[in-house]
Amino acid sequence: MISTKKHIQQLAAILLAKEIDDIIISPGSRNGPLIHTFAGSNRFNCRNIVDERSAAYFALGLAQAKQKPVVIVCSSGTASLNYAPAIAEAFYLQVPLIVLTADRPDYWIDQAESQCIRQEKIYQNFIKKEISLPLGESEKELWFAARQINACLNATLGEAPAPVHINIPLEEPLHDLLDEKLPSVKIIETAETQQLVTETALDQLTATFNNANKVLVLAGQQIPNPGLENQLSKLVSKTGAVVLKEHLGNLDDLNFCSSIDTLMAAMLTDRLENFQPDLLISFGGQFVSKSLKQFLRKHKPVNHWHLSLANEHFDTYQSLTNVIKQDATDFFGQLLPRVSGKKQNYLRRWKDKEQQVNKLCDDFIQQAAYSDLRVFDQLRTAIPENSVIHLGNSSPVRYGLICQPVKNAHYFGNRGTSGIDGPLSTAVGFASESEKINTIILGDLSFFYDSNALWNNYLGSNLRVIVINNRGGNIFGLIKGPGDSPAFQEHFFTENKFKAEGLARTFELDYFMAENQAELSDILGDFYSPKQAKAALLEIFTDAEVNTTVFRELFKYVKQ
């Protein structure tokens, strides 16, 4: 049984024709025609999540796991506002979400009608395209709506994925049904094209590359891409270029450099111009490291190329000279045969420094007091190989990037907007589609903030939630400024007296706990045991003051 609303029937049919069939529904009445049609047609993978904010983040994670668009459906009014944080995150991560918001007819807007707000252009700063369907169902109105829907869906499926919004005004009756199949529809496709740098431009870029003695490549946050990793490996081997990446760049080649924050700290005792690049090439999403940004802004390259299919002019380091509208894999594939070999001095300098820093870090961690740093180092040895690891924002992502990566693991994190409001929901969405063990590591404030992520029926036995409970926002003790304020304890650190155990029991997760190094060592084997048949939560308690001391001492130590 499907809704009698012809616009909804047509929308559903076009989605199916474009092989978009994952629907995350938040219950309501105004979106009843959408619910009836998606669920009643038996053609869609429908999931129900009550909390719209959590539902949108769940969809974000699911879209990352499946590498295809996911639809989110909500009722009218403030339900639509709750989608906004995840839509912003998806926009900056370039993840395709299709946002369907039910609405009242426009003649009821601002007329004291219930569940009625101004919904058109509600996400205008964070979407690629927005349309509003007509109320009428004449042949011309249906033709017009179909054309708009096709254009909207093609936008989210394009070379630079992003969320799109379809607002759907609906008149009563909302729940009349038909026992019919979805209608036949006309599909408008977009032909795939390949972006190539012209021969003239490529000659100029090659000359610039060959004239640069120090080439630094920044691989930002991205999904795993073996083809790109292969091209970068060849570039390093042939030219001595340095590839700098964080775990979220999902590159494993040992000839690439990571450990960025500790590297930057150790370099302060060297001649920084030895590490200053002549040519900087960047691609992918953001870097977490603030010290890297500060270094490159102060020690600018002569040339900075940014590779972006979306033509983004990211001048993060205030030195941008070229935007190259091309996929990174294709670009390096074109460039590699043309570039000349170079001496390996620049690469050797970076790798020698990294080896020195990693040795210092390992030595320090082994003798450090029980703290967040020790915990993260222990976790990396316990998490199974070939896992998926989701790093929560604030201190977890920073600790996670200081420690060496888990072997053959893929790393994800909500670093588009870097908020603490949705990492758990995103991880749950991803894990629901993944066959691998998925571990999300987050702080206590972030966990409680996003605890509705566990309020659904899609928690699989592959989900592992690790809550680092240092009883507040310990990140504000690590960064400069807040820790010196009289308002620190109450309004920055925000002391937390609660434990996660109650919520774990409420949502029927197996609960584990550790309050010291010995307990953590004992419990991790059980937590990651193949016999663990349910989603599980491990709460690790640490002391915030000790965490801050150990964190700061680490950076003093590597500056030797």
Side-chain angles (χ1 to χ4, degrees):
M1 302 290 283
I2 62 174
S3 172
T4 58
K5 304 290 186 184
K6 292 182 179 179
H7 283 300
I8 306 303
Q9 297 171 15
Q10 180 173 251
L11 170 60
I14 294 173
L15 286 168
L16 278 178
K18 292 184 178 291
E19 299 182 346
I20 301 170
D21 55 6
D22 286 292
I23 314 291
I24 310 300
I25 295 169
S26 292
S29 181
R30 185 60 49 169
N31 59 338
L34 290 153
I35 297 173
H36 293 311
T37 302
F38 289 135
S41 66
N42 295 318
R43 304 281 301 279
F44 293 91
N45 303 316
C46 295
R47 297 172 173 88
N48 185 281
I49 298 179
V50 175
D51 183 332
E52 286 88 3
R53 181 176 58 81
S54 182
Y57 276 114
F58 181 102
L60 168 64
L62 182 62
Q64 287 178 315
K66 300 196 76 169
Q67 289 300 296
K68 59 179 289 191
V70 172
V71 178
I72 51 178
V73 179
C74 73
S75 190
S76 61
T78 55
S80 60
L81 290 173
N82 288 321
Y83 277 165
I87 291 171
E89 180 67 31
F91 179 78
Y92 287 108
L93 285 183
Q94 296 190 339
V95 174
L97 295 183
I98 299 166
V99 185
L100 307 183
T101 56
D103 199 1
R104 295 296 203 273
D106 59 2
Y107 52 76
W108 282 124
I109 307 299
D110 297 334
Q111 296 300 307
E113 177 71 359
S114 62
Q115 282 191 292
C116 189
I117 64 172
R118 302 172 191 176
Q119 286 182 207
E120 290 194 5
K121 299 183 179 180
I122 197 171
Y123 315 116
Q124 61 182 336
N125 291 326
F126 308 112
I127 55 169
K128 198 170 184 180
K129 187 173 179 61
E130 178 190 51
I131 63 172
S132 189
L133 299 186
L135 275 175
E137 295 183 341
S138 70
E139 184 177 341
K140 283 187 177 180
E141 286 167 314
L142 286 167
W143 162 79
F144 175 59
R147 192 191 76 200
Q148 285 190 304
I149 293 167
N150 271 281
C152 205
L153 299 183
N154 287 344
T156 198
L157 290 164
E159 59 190 17
V164 295
H165 176 210
I166 302 178
N167 192 55
I168 308 170
L170 291 163
E171 289 185 300
E172 296 182 2
L174 301 172
H175 303 290
D176 288 354
L177 303 179
L178 291 171
D179 188 9
E180 293 183 5
K181 294 182 178 180
L182 294 174
S184 298
V185 290
K186 184 182 76 169
I187 300 302
I188 303 172
E189 302 284 5
T190 55
E192 284 191 20
T193 57
Q194 185 177 13
Q195 295 281 351
L196 292 174
V197 179
T198 65
E199 288 296 314
T200 301
L202 195 57
D203 287 341
Q204 295 172 345
L205 294 171
T206 302
T208 299
F209 188 101
N210 288 336
N211 287 330
N213 290 318
K214 297 178 291 183
V215 177
L216 182 63
V217 179
L218 296 185
Q221 181 176 4
Q222 60 183 346
I223 62 172
N225 187 336
L228 174 58
E229 180 156 9
N230 182 52
Q231 297 282 21
L232 291 173
S233 298
K234 292 178 181 177
L235 184 76
V236 171
S237 178
K238 182 176 182 180
T239 70
V242 174
V243 174
L244 204 57
K245 53 90 177 180
E246 294 175 330
H247 302 348
L248 296 170
N250 286 304
L251 299 170
D252 296 325
D253 193 306
L254 295 178
N255 287 318
F256 303 160
C257 294
S258 55
S259 310
I260 294 175
D261 276 336
T262 46
L263 260 174
M264 293 294 119
M267 281 164 46
L268 293 176
T269 59
D270 293 341
R271 295 182 61 186
L272 291 176
E273 58 269 23
N274 289 334
F275 295 90
Q276 178 180 7
D278 302 321
L279 170 62
L280 179 68
I281 306 174
S282 62
F283 59 87
Q286 297 185 34
F287 273 76
V288 176
S289 175
K290 184 177 181 180
S291 57
L292 173 65
K293 297 171 187 175
Q294 291 172 333
F295 166 70
L296 289 173
R297 288 168 187 167
K298 186 174 181 180
H299 302 277
K300 292 180 172 62
V302 177
N303 290 285
H304 173 199
W305 305 343
H306 183 64
L307 314 179
S308 169
L309 266 176
N311 203 34
E312 295 153 322
H313 286 53
F314 285 169
D315 196 9
T316 311
Y317 313 104
Q318 302 174 324
S319 56
L320 186 66
T321 55
N322 289 81
V323 176
I324 301 171
K325 190 178 180 182
Q326 190 177 23
D327 174 77
T329 308
D330 294 337
F331 173 75
F332 289 114
Q334 274 194 275
L335 184 69
L336 257 172
R338 293 170 172 259
V339 295
S340 59
K342 289 189 175 67
K343 295 179 180 179
Q344 303 291 313
N345 292 349
Y346 190 55
L347 175 61
R348 190 176 301 115
R349 194 175 300 139
W350 277 90
K351 292 302 293 181
D352 286 349
K353 177 58 67 173
E354 182 182 42
Q355 184 178 6
Q356 174 191 357
V357 166
N358 287 345
K359 176 67 166 58
L360 287 169
C361 283
D362 289 344
D363 291 345
F364 179 87
I365 291 172
Q366 293 309 310
Q367 54 82 36
Y370 174 70
S371 59
D372 283 356
L373 182 61
R374 285 292 299 271
V375 165
F376 271 83
D377 188 66
Q378 191 161 355
L379 290 177
R380 75 173 178 85
T381 64
I383 295 173
E385 293 184 14
N386 300 305
S387 290
V388 178
I389 300 169
H390 307 266
L391 296 174
N393 282 316
S394 296
S395 56
V397 71
R398 288 164 174 83
Y399 281 116
L401 298 185
I402 287 172
C403 297
Q404 293 301 304
V406 175
K407 190 174 181 180
N408 295 325
H410 293 162
Y411 282 81
F412 292 86
N414 286 359
R415 296 302 298 178
T417 57
S418 306
I420 69 164
D421 49 352
L424 182 55
S425 291
T426 305
V428 170
F430 192 109
S432 72
E433 187 60 30
S434 174
E435 296 180 355
K436 298 181 177 182
I437 292 292
N438 276 244
T439 300
I440 167 71
I441 310 173
L442 71 170
D444 50 313
L445 296 190
S446 184
F447 170 76
F448 285 108
Y449 196 119
D450 194 23
S451 59
N452 273 357
L454 306 176
W455 184 23
N456 61 68
N457 297 320
Y458 314 109
L459 307 182
S461 59
N462 64 333
L463 179 67
R464 300 291 182 272
V465 180
I466 299 179
V467 179
I468 311 295
N469 191 337
N470 45 45
R471 298 174 175 83
N474 202 183
I475 183 64
F476 296 110
L478 307 183
I479 61 178
K480 294 180 180 179
D484 299 324
S485 169
F488 171 75
Q489 196 68 26
E490 182 175 0
H491 297 295
F492 287 101
F493 182 68
T494 314
E495 185 176 3
N496 167 47
K497 299 179 181 179
F498 300 102
K499 298 180 180 180
E501 182 177 6
L503 285 172
R505 305 298 186 200
T506 296
F507 294 119
E508 299 182 348
L509 277 73
D510 286 347
Y511 177 78
F512 298 80
M513 181 190 75
E515 294 185 298
N516 54 56
Q517 202 81 43
E519 290 180 358
L520 183 58
S521 298
D522 289 342
I523 210 71
L524 280 171
D526 293 333
F527 187 67
Y528 281 111
S529 170
K531 297 179 181 179
Q532 178 58 37
K534 289 177 60 179
L537 185 150
L538 168 59
E539 188 169 21
I540 305 171
F541 294 92
T542 63
D543 184 278
E545 291 186 6
V546 175
N547 294 337
T548 300
T549 299
V550 170
F551 183 84
R552 292 178 177 175
E553 287 297 323
L554 168 67
F555 285 90
K556 291 179 183 178
Y557 190 76
V558 299
K559 289 177 184 178
Q560 295 178 27

